[in-house]
């Protein structure tokens, strides 16, 4: 097999183990989040609101890297569960202000055990976890910042 073909081998792809890791971690979250009646994406939105009690759709999307076609139905679902409210801004009707409710705040108490349970599942030392976090964030920032070199496309 020549080197050009070898570059397409799964074992030579950084993206493949990252993809598998993400998929498997989310799979492990599922039974924990089922107890809260949340999907993983709903969970990260709720974590956002446990930090920031009020925001607008654009800020949420920018922070979580979710486009409006994903975020809008997700926010509607969380609103139907009573965890957030969505209201048009009085200053600019194009903006939708989203606020966590008391029920949404109370959900945080139920979610407090999840990170520890996931930490045991992932089983990294504190130092390894910090290193991995830094590396993954570096990759994410680089991918966001850098375009694919168009001249290398076939």
């Amino acid at each position: 097999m020549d080197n050009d073909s070898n570059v397409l081998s799964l074992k030579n792809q950084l993206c493949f183990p990252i993809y598998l890791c993400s998929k498997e971690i989310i799979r492990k979250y599922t039974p924990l989040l089922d107890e809260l009646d949340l999907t993983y994406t709903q969970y990260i939105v709720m974590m956002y609101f446990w930090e920031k009690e009020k925001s607008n759709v654009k800020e949420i999307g920018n922070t979580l890297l979710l486009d409006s076609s994903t975020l809008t139905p997700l926010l509607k679902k969380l609103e139907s569960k009573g965890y957030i409210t969505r209201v048009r801004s009085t200053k600019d009707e194009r903006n939708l202000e989203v606020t966590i409710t008391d029920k949404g705040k109370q959900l945080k108490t139920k979610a407090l055990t999840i990170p520890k349970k996931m930490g045991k599942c992932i089983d990294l030392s504190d130092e390894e976890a910090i290193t991995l976090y830094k590396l993954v964030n570096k990759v994410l920032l680089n991918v966001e910042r850098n375009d694919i070199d168009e001249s290398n496309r076939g």
Side-chain angles (χ1 to χ4, degrees), residues 93-107:
E93 286 190 16
R94 295 174 294 177
N95 289 329
L96 195 60
E97 295 176 347
V98 186
T99 307
I100 192 168
T101 64
D102 287 339
K103 185 177 178 182
K105 291 175 188 176
Q106 291 168 4
L107 188 65

Side-chain angles (χ1 to χ4, degrees), residues 2 39 52 66 100 117 122 140 145:
D2 63 19
T39 65
K52 280 184 119 177
L66 295 172
I100 192 168
K117 289 176 182 177
I122 294 171
L140 182 58
R145 184 177 27 229

Side-chain angles (χ1 to χ4, degrees), residues 30-41:
T30 299
L32 302 174
L33 296 176
D34 283 349
E35 294 175 22
L36 303 178
D37 190 30
L38 293 175
T39 65
Y40 182 76
T41 313

